[in-house]
Amino acid sequence: MTEEKLIVHPRPSSIVASLYTLRDLNVDVAILHGPPGCSFKHARLLEEDRLRVLTSAMDENDFVFGGRDKLEKTIEKAIELFDPKTIALVGTCTSMIIGEELADSTMNMPDGIEFICVETHAGYANNTDGVISVLEPAMECGMITDEELERQRRLLTEATNVEIRHGAASKGYLEPSRGDIKYKAAERLIELIRSGKKIAGILNAKKETAYMFADEIIALYETARLFGMEKNITIFSNTDLNLGLPRVKEHAANVMKAFDEQSIPVHEIIGGLDEYAVTGNIVKDLILNKYGGFDAAVIAGVPHALPMDAFPDAELFSITNGPRQVAPLKDMGHKHVMVEIDLHPQTLGVTKIVPAEFGDTLRAVAADIAAADIAAAGSAAGSAAATDMAADTADSAAANRTAAETGDKK
């Protein structure tokens, strides 16, 4: 029998995954039925992304005798404060262990409010289980179709597989890293751009993280345009406007609008913003069969979801927001790996592109190189002008001497 892999570094929580999925469904209020500190950081951040998150604040007395009364009072308070149309009751480790029935607390609540009871906890092996625990009751109450539920199951299964193959679940322990030095990678990328290499810019991002990861692709194209090499850049983007839960579609529309406003051409749409785990074969087919390969690729978002055989002989520049993702990407063969630290908090509650550190570094280094080119050209032009002036002066002096000798001085 195969021994189960022991993974000892912290990984994403199923409870948090449930909260983000409720956000994507545009639910008004989520109530965590558990201790007040459960999922505190993400609960706080999500309030900046149009999801009110409350807690029933269970204490040690409730752990023994149950917390139904507290949950009912919290629901009533939510109705008083926010007049919501939809409320999600979200289980936690505490309430699920003691067997709380979330639905019982909705029995005496006013009509006109849609309740979603999310039976979840943080004890699942994969956080994607937290997503399913939301989508199943969401389908039952008509918020999504059965077809969308099955689509999401397929995506989530593959997302889990991606993490097992090359992500957070690939090793028992992954050392966090800040990745390669950004300005060094930028210098190398600019060198390739200026030498006329064919480069793919690939946005393969997860949901709202695209607001920053897209900036890496924008910076790539802007840099190529600065040096007159934009014709060598081909952009792939997983921003299909018709795929995903309601909020995910909003993100895709906002990113595509930003591309358009900045005159960034998107040559290939490779899927939706929730399809980052299944874009690999599409990207591979396009690169190998339509474009005949690339000399380099800039991959922003979830680079480890793309197969390495899509990039034969290509130099890869990959940008992630996971410090523990650096080592797996290096093991795969990605030469340059950069980390956008704290990307996720910066992309919550926004609707426009958020400047990326590597994107800004690339722009700054490119601007310095372009300025140096102009200065060098100016210096060369000045030197040539001085040489011409010296030659003219010498010719004039010689002519004057000749004229003086003949008595016809000018």
Side-chain angles (χ1 to χ4, degrees):
M1 186 174 69
T2 304
E3 185 177 349
E4 183 179 354
K5 184 192 301 180
L6 178 64
I7 300 173
V8 297
H9 55 258
R11 289 190 291 152
S13 161
S14 298
I15 299 171
V16 172
S18 294
L19 290 175
Y20 278 101
T21 307
L22 292 166
R23 183 275 318 267
D24 292 340
L25 289 166
N26 287 329
V27 167
D28 296 320
V29 177
I31 299 174
L32 286 164
H33 188 33
C38 181
S39 304
F40 166 75
K41 179 181 178 180
H42 290 278
R44 166 68 189 87
L45 290 171
L46 280 164
E47 288 200 301
E48 301 198 21
D49 209 7
R50 303 183 348 228
L51 176 65
R52 301 284 188 176
V53 183
L54 307 180
T55 174
S56 62
M58 294 176 71
D59 58 25
E60 56 188 8
N61 188 64
D62 303 315
F63 298 169
V64 177
F65 298 105
R68 176 175 172 176
D69 288 346
K70 280 190 173 179
L71 180 56
E72 289 180 353
K73 289 178 181 178
T74 307
I75 296 171
E76 291 168 355
K77 191 65 175 179
I79 295 171
E80 175 190 335
L81 289 172
F82 308 120
D83 190 25
K85 297 295 182 290
T86 51
I87 297 178
L89 307 181
V90 184
T92 65
C93 300
T94 303
S95 56
M96 293 298 98
I97 287 172
I98 66 174
E100 293 277 80
E101 294 292 340
L102 300 177
D104 289 351
S105 296
T106 69
M107 302 301 293
N108 298 318
M109 295 301 155
D111 293 334
I113 300 174
E114 188 75 66
F115 285 94
I116 303 174
C117 296
V118 182
E119 307 279 350
T120 192
H121 54 76
Y124 294 112
N126 301 299
N127 74 319
T128 49
D129 289 321
V131 179
I132 293 298
S133 68
V134 171
L135 295 177
E136 288 179 340
M139 188 271 290
E140 290 173 4
C141 67
M143 297 185 73
I144 63 172
T145 64
D146 182 63
E147 290 76 16
E148 179 63 20
L149 175 60
E150 291 310 309
R151 173 180 169 275
Q152 292 288 337
R153 287 187 195 277
R154 178 176 61 86
L155 297 180
L156 293 165
T157 297
E158 191 51 35
T160 299
N161 292 338
V162 165
E163 294 308 308
I164 291 172
R165 287 195 298 266
H166 300 297
S170 61
K171 291 184 179 180
Y173 180 75
L174 289 168
E175 187 78 29
S177 168
R178 294 299 179 100
D180 293 315
I181 297 173
K182 292 180 175 68
Y183 83 85
K184 288 289 188 183
E187 288 178 338
R188 174 57 181 160
L189 181 55
I190 292 167
E191 180 183 342
L192 294 172
I193 290 171
R194 283 160 60 87
S195 64
K197 299 298 185 183
K198 288 175 58 182
I199 302 175
I202 304 173
L203 178 64
N204 191 48
K206 180 179 179 180
K207 302 180 182 181
E208 68 274 7
T209 65
Y211 287 118
M212 185 178 288
F213 283 129
D215 191 54
E216 324 280 9
I217 306 304
I218 293 171
L220 168 67
Y221 195 84
E222 288 176 343
T223 300
R225 189 159 53 197
L226 179 65
F227 296 109
M229 293 293 182
E230 66 269 29
K231 67 181 183 301
N232 296 323
I233 308 297
T234 303
I235 295 177
F236 302 72
S237 180
N238 68 320
T239 45
D240 192 309
L241 304 181
N242 300 309
L243 295 173
L245 300 179
R247 190 72 66 85
V248 175
K249 292 178 183 178
E250 287 182 36
H251 298 325
N254 291 335
V255 171
M256 289 299 290
K257 180 182 178 183
F259 282 146
D260 184 61
E261 289 175 345
Q262 299 186 52
S263 300
I264 308 297
V266 175
H267 302 92
E268 301 290 348
I269 296 293
I270 57 175
L273 279 174
D274 58 359
E275 294 194 319
Y276 58 92
V278 298
T279 57
N281 288 334
I282 296 171
V283 171
K284 178 181 175 180
D285 180 63
L286 287 168
I287 288 177
L288 299 183
N289 298 321
K290 182 174 180 178
Y291 292 99
F294 290 92
D295 300 306
V298 176
I299 312 170
V302 189
H304 55 291
L306 303 183
M308 288 300 293
D309 56 1
F311 309 99
D313 304 319
E315 188 170 338
L316 300 185
F317 297 76
S318 295
I319 306 101
T320 177
N321 65 319
R324 296 188 195 275
Q325 193 55 56
V326 175
L329 283 167
K330 289 288 188 178
D331 289 344
M332 289 176 71
H334 294 244
K335 186 170 183 179
H336 312 275
V337 180
M338 283 68 69
V339 180
E340 294 287 356
I341 297 293
D342 291 331
L343 174 148
H344 203 188
Q346 297 181 65
T347 57
L348 289 172
V350 304
T351 57
K352 298 182 182 298
I353 298 299
V354 178
E357 186 178 349
F358 180 66
D360 279 349
T361 301
L362 184 60
R363 293 182 182 97
V365 174
D368 287 347
I369 291 173
D373 287 348
I374 292 171
S379 176
S383 177
T387 301
D388 291 343
M389 184 180 297
D392 290 343
T393 301
D395 290 344
S396 179
N400 285 340
R401 286 194 300 272
T402 301
E405 292 169 357
T406 61
D408 187 21
K409 185 176 180 180
K410 293 185 179 179

